[in-house]
Amino acid sequence: MVVIETKPSNFDDGADTQIQECLNPVAPRSFFLYAGAGSGKTRSLKNALDRFRQTHGAAFRHSGKKIAVITYTNAAADEIAARVGQDSLFPISTIHSFCWRHIGTYHADIQAWLLETLPATLTELRDKQAKGRAGTKAALDRERAIASTTRRIEWLNSPRRFTYNPNGDNFGQESLSHSEVLKITAAFIETKPLMRAVLVNKYSFLLIDESQDTNKGLLEAFFALAAANEGKCGVGLFGDTMQRIYLDGHPELERLVPEGWARPVKRLNHRSPQRVIALGNILRAPIDRQCQVARDDSEIGIVRLFVASSTIPDKPGVEQRVRDRMADLCRDPKWGDEAEVKALTLEHHMAASRRGFLEMFQALDRDPRLSTGLRNGEVAGLRLFTERVAPLIAAARAKDGFATMAHLRATSPLLKRSAVAQTVNPHDPLLPIRTGVDALLTLNADSAEPSFLDVLECVAEHRLFEIPASLRPFVAADVGTAATDVEPITGEETEENSDEETVASSPASLEAWRAFLETPYRQTIPFAEYVSDRGPFGTHQGVKGLEFERVLVILDDSDARGFLFSYDKLFEVKPLTDTDRKHLADETDGGITRTRRLLYVTCTRAEKSLALIAYTADPDALVAAALRNHWFAADEVELL
């Protein structure tokens, strides 16, 4: 029987009061709110802003002051706006939108920053080219990247103005990438007094949601801003370091929070049953010893660990057996229905292997700078295929002329007014479009399976879409650069932002993109379904902040094929390496800590019941470790 501390639903009201006291315009104070899984951090944000509006709203509106609310994704911004309400007093935006709004007029300074940083990329490319073998595909890719970067530097030798779409793709020499916008903003905050003054005069407070995943360079700039303007403005960080997901988040956020900041804490988990909360406490205890409590009206809940051999041939069949078993244990027939159970994997490689897009995923995952954008599906090079090419092929195959033209009007430079006016076929201006679409359909109808490179070359040859900067080195110059002379597309998008796309490709990125382009194009559809959460599997990145009644967590090192984490090591089936032990001794972010943290995120999504299935080479050893470490009781573990 699980024993866990329970408290009434108002147990954490003191933390809300403390935050409201920090939001005092007369004496603003910065703070870091620790809020574990299911503790209602967004509710605290809403309560603080509601109270501020009642107490100080009229005066702030009169003075033109505001409180900026900054979060990680458009979905999170929409959720906060729905709860708080649309109010000009509290502008709510993603981190990318916020940054661009405040650097978008500094064109000369942006140009100077690019002229200072791009030569370093060019030097890196040339050094790699000098050391590499001539005549190889990699050498050709680097040669084109060197030419592209050189052209951009030359283009920057005249005064320029820059563009950026925080919610979509950015093409053309005048466009900035997502990562550039974050880096430039951080640099400007730290080095330009005018930028700091503008921010402080406009905002008395910057409230940053999901602060554990906020770009570390930008977060350090916010720390510097608060320190230089103590008593004038405050920074409020909402988050939980145990739920840090993205590699560009700061691994030591809590240690960096200054001593003078307030540190309100929310310990009550409103989401999960007592047994799930107890498991979460055990998982995070070695990392930060934070301990959550359950509501006094919460259920006990059911948790089970199922263990199977990693060599078992029919894993989907095993997982259906687990669902059926949970249906009996929980007396909940919905467990037997795959559609009613949220299956979560700790890492994308597992879903990639099961859903059929492993080759393309592994190719891009070799470059850590593409990591976040790959996992979000938000790298422009990927979006060319998932959001441009795939919908076009689907509409054309369905012979849906209206959908085909609607998609092309929104995305293709061939249907821009300037392109139509300059067509060499004035009596049939749509001929280039039809020719390009037919070429794509023919390519995908051939018996030989087309690669991403085959599709890219077809798109570039017929100029159907803009070619993202990361892919231009892989197409001939006459077709790869011609599209950039056409007015770029800046359609309205609603997906999450990426901070991984780079305009000037590094050698490592070129190698990753080359490997990706040689994989089968058919992997586009399952990948697109997965990153948009339309498939049967989810990951820690996709579900953080969400909750589900029935959760099945799948642990499988053999499918994951990653080196950033290991379930067998966490469950003590495999020995730790010297590097693992050093990370644990130094309390730094190694593979064991990452694995434990990601397991915590997935397990704590459960509202009613939780099942874990662990595939391992040594089931008996894994069971013994799970019992020895008191993660599960003997009656909660079943060998399959």
Side-chain angles (χ1 to χ4, degrees):
M1 182 71 175
V2 62
V3 177
I4 187 170
E5 187 177 4
T6 61
K7 296 293 182 181
S9 59
N10 63 353
F11 176 68
D12 285 333
D13 285 359
D16 286 0
T17 301
Q18 192 174 1
I19 293 171
Q20 291 163 13
E21 291 173 350
C22 290
L23 298 184
N24 181 352
V26 178
R29 187 181 182 190
S30 296
F31 64 88
F32 172 70
L33 168 70
Y34 156 72
S39 59
K41 119 180 106 56
T42 305
R43 184 186 302 115
S44 292
L45 176 60
K46 168 183 165 46
N47 291 343
L49 295 179
D50 285 346
R51 178 65 182 274
F52 186 92
R53 182 160 38 206
Q54 295 169 3
T55 309
H56 307 290
F60 252 52
R61 292 184 204 281
H62 182 72
S63 65
K65 290 272 192 176
K66 302 177 185 295
I67 293 180
V69 181
I70 307 166
T71 190
Y72 200 79
T73 68
N74 283 319
D78 291 342
E79 180 187 355
I80 294 172
R83 294 202 196 183
V84 174
Q86 295 291 343
D87 192 332
S88 60
L89 191 63
F90 310 128
I92 301 167
S93 63
T94 64
I95 191 69
H96 294 84
S97 296
F98 176 85
C99 288
W100 179 241
R101 188 161 60 245
H102 294 286
I103 69 168
T105 59
Y106 292 76
H107 296 283
D109 298 282
I110 291 171
Q111 184 170 351
W113 185 90
L114 289 170
L115 284 170
E116 183 178 342
T117 57
L118 283 177
T121 300
L122 189 59
T123 298
E124 182 185 1
L125 284 165
R126 286 172 171 163
D127 289 346
K128 189 71 179 258
Q129 186 75 324
K131 296 174 183 176
R133 284 194 302 119
T136 63
K137 290 181 179 179
L140 178 61
D141 297 340
R142 286 193 296 267
E143 181 182 338
R144 289 172 174 167
I146 288 170
S148 176
T149 306
T150 301
R151 285 195 300 271
R152 196 176 191 214
I153 292 174
E154 292 172 351
W155 179 82
L156 287 166
N157 284 328
S158 299
R160 301 295 183 184
R161 297 181 66 83
F162 299 90
T163 63
Y164 173 66
N165 178 8
N167 297 320
D169 300 326
N170 294 281
F171 301 131
Q173 291 178 317
E174 74 282 358
S175 296
L176 299 175
S177 71
H178 297 307
S179 62
E180 285 175 330
V181 167
L182 297 185
K183 291 175 182 177
I184 292 169
T185 303
F188 285 7
I189 290 175
E190 291 181 335
T191 62
K192 295 189 178 301
L194 178 59
M195 167 68 81
R196 293 196 297 270
V198 168
L199 287 173
V200 171
N201 289 334
K202 188 169 186 178
Y203 304 111
S204 289
F205 301 95
L206 302 178
L207 304 183
I208 304 170
D209 189 30
E210 303 292 3
S211 59
Q212 74 276 358
D213 281 325
T214 301
N215 176 271
K216 47 182 162 291
L218 191 58
L219 204 55
E220 289 171 357
F222 287 145
F223 281 136
L225 179 72
N229 294 277
E230 189 172 355
K232 295 181 182 178
C233 77
V235 173
L237 305 181
F238 293 75
D240 176 11
T241 51
M242 189 67 180
Q243 297 186 68
R244 185 170 68 86
I245 296 300
Y246 297 106
L247 296 179
D248 52 341
H250 212 299
E252 300 182 29
L253 175 58
E254 285 192 83
R255 297 184 188 181
L256 288 177
V257 174
E259 287 293 327
W261 284 34
R263 290 175 178 253
V265 173
K266 300 196 73 175
R267 293 183 56 213
L268 185 64
N269 186 317
H270 297 268
R271 171 193 299 149
S272 298
Q274 296 175 29
R275 183 63 189 91
V276 171
I277 298 171
L279 176 60
N281 287 343
I282 293 171
L283 288 174
R284 73 180 301 158
I287 295 181
D288 62 8
R289 292 167 289 281
Q290 296 282 4
C291 185
Q292 286 192 304
V293 299
R295 286 175 60 126
D296 55 13
D297 58 354
S298 61
E299 299 178 358
I300 298 298
I302 293 178
V303 170
R304 288 293 185 274
L305 171 66
F306 299 89
V307 183
S309 170
S310 56
T311 61
I312 198 164
D314 183 16
K315 291 177 180 178
V318 169
E319 287 147 28
Q320 184 57 53
R321 284 168 50 198
V322 167
R323 286 191 289 268
D324 292 339
R325 175 64 175 148
M326 289 296 291
D328 292 337
L329 287 170
C330 303
R331 297 180 182 177
D332 179 1
K334 289 186 177 180
W335 258 105
D337 183 353
E338 184 179 14
E340 296 290 340
V341 178
K342 189 63 178 180
L344 302 179
T345 62
L346 294 198
E347 229 287 341
H348 291 258
H349 283 84
M350 294 169 59
S353 175
R354 290 160 183 259
R355 296 297 292 162
F357 57 89
L358 182 62
E359 294 170 275
M360 61 164 283
F361 187 89
Q362 285 185 316
L364 288 180
D365 201 41
R366 66 177 62 185
D367 183 356
R369 283 167 291 193
L370 297 173
S371 174
T372 298
L374 170 62
R375 283 154 172 76
N376 287 340
E378 286 300 305
V379 177
L382 281 174
R383 288 165 63 92
L384 172 68
F385 300 102
T386 60
E387 309 230 350
R388 301 288 195 260
V389 176
L392 174 61
I393 290 176
R397 278 180 176 167
K399 301 187 185 304
D400 188 337
F402 179 80
T404 299
M405 290 305 296
H407 180 68
L408 288 168
R409 283 195 186 96
T411 58
S412 177
L414 288 180
L415 286 181
K416 284 293 181 181
R417 185 177 303 171
S418 56
V420 173
Q422 296 171 15
T423 182
V424 296
N425 301 288
H427 300 297
D428 189 3
L430 296 184
L431 178 61
I433 285 284
R434 290 200 305 275
T435 302
V437 172
D438 288 345
L440 270 182
L441 293 180
T442 301
L443 182 67
N444 281 269
D446 288 343
S447 56
E449 184 174 59
S451 66
F452 281 98
L453 182 59
D454 293 329
V455 175
L456 173 65
E457 290 174 338
C458 182
V459 169
E461 178 185 355
H462 294 280
R463 295 172 170 80
L464 282 169
F465 303 111
E466 292 275 356
I467 304 301
S470 54
L471 297 180
R472 286 182 205 141
F474 306 100
V475 293
D478 59 336
V479 297
T481 58
T484 64
D485 297 330
V486 184
E487 183 182 352
I489 303 297
T490 55
E492 292 298 319
E493 310 279 353
T494 58
E495 300 292 336
E496 294 183 358
N497 295 317
S498 161
D499 60 351
E500 301 297 337
E501 180 65 21
T502 55
V503 173
S505 296
S506 68
S509 296
L510 286 171
E511 292 171 6
W513 281 116
R514 166 59 71 179
F516 160 79
L517 288 170
E518 293 178 350
T519 64
Y521 168 77
R522 60 173 164 75
Q523 299 180 57
T524 299
I525 301 304
F527 173 78
E529 289 178 346
Y530 178 63
V531 295
S532 61
D533 203 28
R534 298 195 304 269
F537 292 101
T539 63
H540 52 278
Q541 286 98 339
V543 301
K544 186 178 64 173
L546 302 180
E547 51 197 37
F548 312 92
E549 291 188 357
R550 302 159 205 86
V551 171
L552 173 63
V553 178
I554 302 172
L555 317 178
D556 191 351
D557 281 353
S558 63
D559 271 351
R561 305 185 188 184
F563 60 89
L564 294 177
F565 59 93
S566 171
Y567 321 123
D568 277 344
K569 288 182 181 179
L570 183 64
F571 278 86
E572 301 175 8
V573 174
K574 288 184 178 179
L576 302 184
T577 64
D578 290 341
T579 300
D580 293 328
R581 285 189 285 271
K582 186 176 189 317
H583 278 302
L584 291 172
D586 297 343
E587 297 185 356
T588 52
D589 195 40
I592 302 303
T593 299
R594 281 191 293 267
T595 306
R596 185 182 292 270
R597 196 168 61 233
L598 304 184
L599 183 58
Y600 172 87
V601 170
T602 50
C603 288
T604 54
R605 301 308 97 195
E607 293 180 288
K608 288 186 175 181
S609 48
L610 168 69
L612 299 92
I613 177 166
Y615 296 99
T616 177
D618 193 341
D620 291 334
L622 190 147
V623 170
L627 298 178
R628 181 173 61 251
N629 291 317
H630 307 291
W631 287 23
F632 304 92
D635 62 353
E636 293 179 323
V637 181
E638 297 187 20
L639 274 168
L640 299 174

